[in-house]
Amino acid sequence: MSLTTDDVKRIAHLARIEIGDDEAQSTLKQLSGILGLIEEMQAVDTAGIEPMSHSQDLTQRLRDDVVTSTNQRELFQSIAPAVENGLYLVPKVIE
Amino acid sequence: MQWEVVIGLETHAQLQTNTKIFSGASTAFGAAPNTQACEVSIALPGVLPVLNKEAVHCAVKFGLAINAEIAPRSVFARKNYFYPDLPKGYQISQYELPVVGKGSLTIQVGDSEKTIRITRAHLEEDAGKSVHEDFHGMTGIDLNRAGTPLLEIVSEPDMRSAAEAVAYAKKLHELVQWIGICDGNMQEGSFRCDVNVSVRPKGSDKLGTRREIKNLNSFRFMQQAIEYETRWQIETLEDGGTIQQATVLFDPETGETRAMRSKEEANDYRYFPDPDLLPLEITSDYISDVKQSMPELPEAMKARFEQEYGLPAYDASTITSSRGFADYFVSATAAFGGEAKLVANWLMGTLAAKLNEEGLDISASPVSPDHLAGLLKRIQDGTISNKIAKEVFDAMWTGEGDADAIIESKGLKQVSDAGAIEKIVDEVLAANAAMVAEYKSGKEKAFNGLVGQVMKASKGKANPAQVNEILKQKLA
């Protein structure tokens, strides 16, 4: 699979990363290298092996459904750039 | 050309837990903004999600209720997108391995039954809320809802009309409340539906391009939205146009659906397994335990009502459409001790109409099952007629006491004294000579008119069977 600079720019846009033409070029090289590595790994025969979704062979621990958090709004909002009436304020978004 | 509409639903049911799916913050509705938004809810760096046991319990209950396979191992994934009410930049959901697999739900539309297949149901977290009022050109963000546990239930595109889609949504709505995993409050957003609609020439087995109607929070709007959307798609195609895949919103003011401004770039959620969460393992022992604790399901109860009480399928289905109705029916029938069908008739007729009229849930009915049973006893033993019973019912509704007290105080007791009825009949015959002549010349209808006159003269209290009998004798 080969990437183009357009792919790189699209991926950067989806991740909201601003990227210039030069940087897109160098990133293209790096990403292509990673994809090459994956291609090599895909040559390994994995028939009959269950895909792994986590590096540790453990299962999820569950938590009892009991409220343990208290209201710390003032503390959390003390480091927010803008708040009003208990709300966090962000640049206007309308979809 | 004949067209066929194809509909599938994605439903988000908010699970009835005390805390969020991945943290110990409360999920209580209506708290002041951000007072239930802990460090996990607002995504401070370094925090880790820990899965809520009760959310898993709810998902397993649902899987059992729709006869689905419960995955012994399911995986949480990150769905990546940017929006300020999603502070992590991704929603934790399930993608390739959902907790609940293929199942089904049987719906009733008119007289026929239809099975709707359910593709899957998966656990995920809700996002926060954006407040678009003017905060000096900024948007306010409330993260109380962020992290609330949801079960997303995805159906196959098995529905062929707005009525079927609404029947499915209602059935699902009743089921999640029945098994106690969701409060079903649509106003508060506890139960929301996205509806995928496409049309195709009748007989075709290829699916048309679909448009998704987002966030419908009432069954009435769902019906209207689907009907409008179907008409719009058919008209567009008949005018030679094409349907573009899109997300649309329903405007209750105009009754129309409207495409949301399409984003410059198609969504690409780049799902991948969430490294912060380990696979969820569900053992068969656990599943059997949950099965043991499940209430009798509507389908099973419906079959039992047909068997045990001799109810027709339609009655059994209507009465088991909600747990409140079913419980009421069982209590009233036990207290009554007579024909269960009579209880069913009153429940589905007078009582349901009255509840509907006043927008009340059956749990808030001013007429208790015992009161209704008391009324039915007096119908059965001939103390009052069906017509008078309605009057007594209305009086019970407004809190005037039980049936016996009302019959007594209003003097509504049916007149079954043959002598008294004969006297009224004689008066009516004397005053309606024309009708009598009509009847005698062969017009059967005139008989009913005479019965009506007698009932009227007795203020509805004469025993109708006796009136019939005496009239027949006198006219013979």
Side-chain angles (χ1 to χ4, degrees):
Chain A
M1 185 179 158
S2 68
L3 279 182
T4 65
T5 43
D6 280 349
D7 292 328
V8 173
K9 284 184 176 165
R10 179 159 175 273
I11 296 164
H13 173 73
L14 284 170
R16 299 298 186 273
I17 295 170
E18 201 178 323
I19 191 167
D21 287 342
D22 286 354
E23 214 178 346
Q25 277 298 337
S26 59
T27 307
L28 173 63
K29 218 180 255 169
Q30 289 170 15
L31 280 178
S32 297
I34 294 169
L35 289 174
L37 199 63
I38 292 169
E39 240 160 66
E40 249 175 76
M41 289 196 286
Q42 275 175 337
V44 179
D45 181 11
T46 56
I49 297 172
E50 205 182 317
M52 192 172 70
S53 59
H54 201 276
S55 56
Q56 282 173 297
D57 190 19
L58 296 168
T59 53
Q60 183 61 40
R61 185 175 69 84
L62 301 180
R63 174 178 59 77
D64 284 334
D65 184 27
V66 177
V67 176
T68 52
S69 287
T70 50
N71 173 19
Q72 297 187 78
R73 185 176 78 181
E74 307 319 316
L75 177 63
F76 294 150
Q77 295 199 333
S78 67
I79 53 165
V83 293
E84 191 170 314
N85 297 339
L87 298 164
Y88 294 92
L89 297 190
V90 298
K92 193 161 193 108
V93 276
I94 279 279
E95 200 165 314
Chain B
M1 193 188 312
Q2 284 268 65
W3 295 92
E4 178 177 64
V5 60
V6 176
I7 304 165
L9 264 73
E10 287 165 28
T11 308
H12 287 93
Q14 184 182 317
L15 300 175
Q16 253 174 320
T17 57
N18 300 318
T19 62
K20 296 190 177 177
I21 185 166
F22 297 119
S23 76
S26 170
T27 52
F29 184 80
N34 292 308
T35 53
Q36 292 173 176
C38 68
E39 59 276 26
V40 175
S41 315
I42 66 172
L44 287 185
V47 299
L48 282 174
V50 186
L51 185 56
N52 184 339
K53 195 183 273 179
E54 187 53 28
V56 174
H57 183 214
C58 290
V60 171
K61 272 165 114 175
F62 179 75
L64 289 170
I66 59 159
N67 260 317
E69 197 176 302
I70 314 287
R73 187 171 160 279
S74 66
V75 170
F76 287 93
R78 292 184 179 182
K79 177 181 178 175
N80 298 279
Y81 66 92
F82 279 93
Y83 206 71
D85 58 21
L86 185 77
K88 292 194 298 301
Y90 58 86
Q91 176 194 29
I92 304 178
S93 181
Q94 295 191 300
Y95 189 54
E96 282 171 323
L97 295 171
V99 58
V100 175
K102 288 187 171 67
S104 69
L105 202 61
T106 303
I107 59 168
Q108 178 120 19
V109 183
D111 288 336
S112 54
E113 282 193 342
K114 180 169 179 177
T115 299
I116 307 298
R117 292 169 299 160
I118 290 172
T119 319
R120 58 184 281 163
H122 62 255
L123 285 165
E124 63 181 29
E125 59 179 344
D126 207 346
K129 233 180 225 167
S130 303
V131 184
H132 295 294
E133 283 156 32
D134 196 25
F135 291 103
H136 339 285
M138 298 182 92
T139 293
I141 304 291
D142 177 5
L143 296 170
N144 279 350
R145 204 181 59 185
T148 299
L150 301 176
L151 189 66
E152 179 173 339
I153 303 155
V154 184
S155 86
E156 290 287 318
D158 281 352
M159 287 145 279
R160 295 290 175 272
S161 67
E164 284 185 12
V166 170
Y168 165 80
K170 280 188 174 167
K171 185 82 188 232
L172 198 59
H173 184 241
E174 291 297 354
L175 183 65
V176 294
Q177 293 175 80
W178 188 289
I179 60 175
I181 65 167
C182 172
D183 68 15
N185 190 324
M186 296 178 84
Q187 269 85 46
E188 290 175 8
S190 300
F191 188 88
R192 335 191 264 271
C193 296
D194 301 338
V195 184
N196 286 298
V197 179
S198 65
V199 298
R200 64 183 174 191
K202 214 177 168 100
S204 163
D205 54 6
K206 225 178 109 227
L207 290 171
T209 304
R210 65 185 156 88
R211 301 214 307 169
E212 182 181 17
I213 312 169
K214 273 272 180 206
N215 268 332
L216 291 164
N217 64 357
S218 98
F219 298 124
R220 196 162 55 88
F221 291 163
M222 183 185 292
Q223 175 102 21
Q224 289 174 5
I226 295 171
E227 282 168 357
Y228 179 86
E229 178 65 22
T230 306
R231 270 201 312 277
W232 182 86
Q233 289 191 17
I234 291 172
E235 276 166 25
T236 302
L237 291 171
E238 284 184 340
D239 290 348
T242 52
I243 306 292
Q244 304 294 327
Q245 190 166 335
T247 301
V248 304
L249 290 175
F250 175 68
D251 182 352
E253 297 281 310
T254 60
E256 295 178 359
T257 52
R258 187 167 34 80
M260 286 166 72
R261 195 162 52 109
S262 64
K263 292 179 194 131
E264 315 148 22
E265 202 146 8
N267 274 328
D268 180 345
Y269 294 126
R270 294 152 293 142
Y271 283 97
F272 62 86
D274 191 334
D276 287 347
L277 288 151
L278 291 156
L280 168 63
E281 195 179 73
I282 298 175
T283 64
S284 52
D285 281 354
Y286 177 75
I287 296 172
S288 331
D289 284 353
V290 177
K291 207 178 229 166
Q292 291 299 317
S293 68
M294 292 273 284
E296 184 182 20
L297 294 172
E299 287 303 310
M301 195 179 268
K302 172 180 174 260
R304 183 165 66 83
F305 281 7
E306 288 178 46
Q307 273 264 309
E308 205 170 295
Y309 299 106
L311 290 185
Y314 176 81
D315 295 35
S317 167
T318 307
I319 288 170
T320 55
S321 68
S322 91
R323 196 139 161 204
F325 251 77
D327 289 346
Y328 192 104
F329 171 78
V330 170
S331 306
T333 306
F336 174 41
E339 185 92 32
K341 176 71 177 122
L342 188 60
V343 181
N345 289 347
W346 274 81
L347 199 52
M348 299 188 304
T350 312
L351 181 63
K354 203 84 180 165
L355 290 169
N356 215 352
E357 199 179 291
E358 306 206 358
L360 287 177
D361 187 82
I362 189 146
S363 61
S365 167
V367 176
S368 70
D370 278 350
H371 275 155
L372 182 67
L375 176 68
L376 300 185
K377 278 181 190 161
R378 296 294 87 85
I379 298 174
Q380 182 148 298
D381 66 15
T383 307
I384 52 171
S385 66
N386 253 312
K387 195 157 173 270
I388 294 290
K390 293 240 160 68
E391 200 180 321
V392 178
F393 181 89
D394 287 342
M396 290 200 294
W397 186 272
T398 51
E400 292 178 42
D402 66 12
D404 286 337
I406 292 163
I407 292 166
E408 184 63 38
S409 68
K410 297 199 171 210
L412 295 172
K413 215 167 157 168
Q414 183 159 271
V415 178
S416 300
D417 168 9
I421 295 176
E422 251 188 273
K423 197 169 152 253
I424 301 173
V425 169
D426 286 337
E427 284 165 16
V428 167
L429 290 178
N432 293 277
M435 268 198 213
V436 173
E438 262 182 52
Y439 175 74
K440 289 202 165 154
S441 71
K443 281 194 182 151
E444 291 284 331
K445 265 193 191 158
F447 186 77
N448 295 335
L450 289 165
V451 173
Q453 291 297 324
V454 176
M455 292 308 292
K456 199 174 155 197
S458 77
K459 298 198 176 66
K461 289 191 286 186
N463 181 325
Q466 276 179 301
V467 170
N468 266 290
E469 202 179 308
I470 293 168
L471 253 180
K472 270 193 187 130
Q473 281 169 13
K474 300 256 174 197
L475 290 168

